[in-house]
Amino acid sequence: MASRKTDKYSVLLPTYNERENLPLIVWLLVKSFTQSGYNYEIIVIDDGSPDGTLEIAKELQKLYGNDKIVLRPRATKLGLGTAYVHGIKHATGNFVIIMDADLSHHPKFIPQFIKKQKELKCDIVSGTRYIGTGGVYGWDFKRKLISRSANFLAQFLLRPGASDLTGSFRLYKKDVLQKIIDSCVSKGYVFQMEILVRANQFGFTLGEVPITFVDRVYGESKLGGSEIVQYAKGLLYLFATT
Amino acid sequence: MATKLVQWLTGLSLFFSVWASIVFDLVPVSFDQRIYQVVLPLPIYLVIAFGCYALAVVGYRTATFNDCVEAAEELKEEIMQAKADLKKKGLKMS
């Protein structure tokens, strides 16, 4: 396939204190891309982790080569949105894949994302926990209920044309992601929602692939009152402005 | 394009102007008394119906939210493989 040779996928991995997880996620990424045969690079954007994430990333670079592992660290914690902007600037691929480095997103789904993108010729492919074979691991009833309620409310108010607004495992055409990010104003959690809402507004096309979300194997996962307040604020903001 | 907020406000004001014009006799058309009995509490009925629908949908989706036990098992196994392989390749993990 000709496109296998010309297309290149840049995986953006924003990290903060992921020394344990980074080697594992990189290993899984390399395994997945080696099996599928697509051209790729992994861009690690470490925000000055005090736990030595960058040091282990350098070790990985020695192991897998600096064409595959690209390090674009920043001095301090500046947040997700700016990490993507920073990452895109250095991405050499024509597609960008964004995922969490904490092993909750499994690289085995990437070939499915790519296949879906080629099949639909769409601008974005989003992983979704909410349809088909998608799902979560490690969530109790309360967490599931909150997640489903929040999603229902978002679908009802925003009609975004995407079933999973807050998941962040997605594939984008690079120029599309650039254009969307330029128009986004939110941060953190809400930023993930805003990307898909803006994409819908611009008329970009979307494909969806069911994914399994395995909640943090190492480290603590967080869902507190402040996250819920942040989510509600973000939802209302998008409701009033888009 | 109008924002979602404006779309909602437009829809709701349309609905309530029709509703008010019937309930408060603002149009010179007289309806059967039975129609008034239905129209008057209609907004409340709709809210209740929507509430039931929302509860049913969220309840059903929560109950059928997949537990990906196999995915977690598979990941655990792959983590072991990854650790062994990386150690073999000489990566200092500590």
Side-chain angles (χ1 to χ4, degrees):
Chain A
M1 212 192 300
S3 55
R4 271 203 194 214
K5 297 219 159 50
T6 50
D7 285 336
K8 184 173 179 181
Y9 298 87
S10 300
V11 181
L12 303 190
L13 279 184
T15 58
Y16 188 75
N17 287 348
E18 298 287 2
R19 192 194 59 198
E20 294 256 3
N21 289 321
L22 188 65
L24 304 174
I25 189 73
V26 167
W27 188 87
L28 289 168
L29 277 165
V30 171
K31 184 184 168 194
S32 171
F33 275 108
T34 308
Q35 277 174 1
S36 62
Y38 294 109
N39 194 9
Y40 73 101
E41 65 182 352
I42 302 166
I43 302 178
V44 180
I45 305 144
D46 186 61
D47 273 7
S49 303
D51 77 338
T53 305
L54 188 59
E55 283 65 41
I56 199 93
K58 282 177 183 159
E59 294 292 317
L60 288 162
Q61 194 177 36
K62 277 184 217 154
L63 195 59
Y64 291 111
N66 53 12
D67 57 328
K68 292 287 179 253
I69 314 285
V70 181
L71 306 182
R72 292 288 175 260
R74 303 187 295 174
T76 50
K77 202 171 181 189
L78 296 168
L80 267 188
T82 58
Y84 295 150
V85 176
H86 183 73
I88 292 175
K89 258 190 264 164
H90 300 285
T92 60
N94 52 335
F95 287 96
V96 171
I97 292 163
I98 287 177
M99 64 191 297
D100 292 348
D102 64 2
L103 299 175
S104 54
H105 296 146
H106 199 297
K108 71 183 172 190
F109 294 109
I110 292 175
Q112 294 179 34
F113 282 29
I114 295 173
K115 223 179 112 199
K116 180 65 88 179
Q117 192 281 324
K118 290 187 185 300
E119 193 183 301
L120 301 177
K121 304 209 182 324
C122 51
D123 300 307
I124 303 167
V125 176
S126 172
T128 174
R129 298 160 291 179
Y130 296 117
I131 58 173
T133 51
V136 291
Y137 175 80
W139 282 14
D140 58 7
F141 179 80
K142 189 181 151 204
R143 182 82 191 261
K144 283 180 176 178
L145 181 65
I146 292 171
S147 173
R148 283 297 200 186
S149 308
N151 188 254
F152 180 84
L153 202 59
Q155 296 294 337
F156 180 68
L157 293 178
L158 303 177
R159 282 170 281 135
S163 61
D164 194 342
L165 280 181
T166 47
S168 52
F169 190 6
R170 299 176 195 145
L171 177 149
Y172 304 85
K173 283 181 182 164
K174 187 166 77 177
D175 50 335
V176 166
L177 181 61
Q178 181 72 62
K179 188 171 175 210
I180 298 170
I181 284 186
D182 287 344
S183 70
C184 281
V185 290
S186 318
K187 288 186 177 61
Y189 214 108
V190 179
F191 177 68
Q192 305 293 356
M193 282 206 277
E194 187 172 11
I195 288 181
L196 284 195
V197 173
R198 300 268 176 218
N200 191 37
Q201 214 181 10
F202 285 135
F204 290 130
T205 50
L206 179 90
E208 293 193 300
V209 170
I211 57 157
T212 54
F213 179 92
V214 178
D215 213 351
R216 297 189 70 110
V217 179
Y218 297 113
E220 272 299 296
S221 162
K222 63 271 162 192
L223 177 73
S226 69
E227 266 79 30
I228 295 174
V229 171
Q230 202 195 341
Y231 178 86
K233 273 190 192 162
L235 193 58
L236 289 178
Y237 167 76
L238 291 174
F239 180 65
T241 59
T242 65
Chain B
M1 204 182 77
T3 65
K4 293 288 182 297
L5 177 64
V6 172
Q7 290 173 22
W8 272 92
L9 290 177
T10 313
L12 286 176
S13 50
L14 264 171
F15 173 82
F16 276 106
S17 42
V18 173
W19 179 78
S21 63
I22 296 172
V23 169
F24 300 113
D25 257 334
L26 303 177
V27 278
V29 186
S30 67
F31 296 97
D32 193 305
Q33 199 54 40
R34 282 170 300 183
I35 290 182
Y36 285 102
Q37 282 167 8
V38 174
V39 171
L40 185 64
L42 191 63
I44 292 168
Y45 286 163
L46 288 178
V47 168
I48 293 171
F50 174 74
C52 293
Y53 167 74
L55 281 179
V57 168
V58 170
Y60 176 75
R61 288 181 183 166
T62 304
T64 56
F65 211 154
N66 285 333
D67 272 314
C68 310
V69 181
E70 305 95 67
E73 291 298 324
E74 188 194 333
L75 179 63
K76 263 184 209 151
E77 223 156 85
E78 283 179 306
I79 287 173
M80 310 254 265
Q81 290 172 17
K83 280 183 172 167
D85 187 51
L86 288 167
K87 205 174 164 189
K88 207 174 70 193
K89 286 178 173 147
L91 186 83
K92 286 174 282 249
M93 288 249 270
S94 67

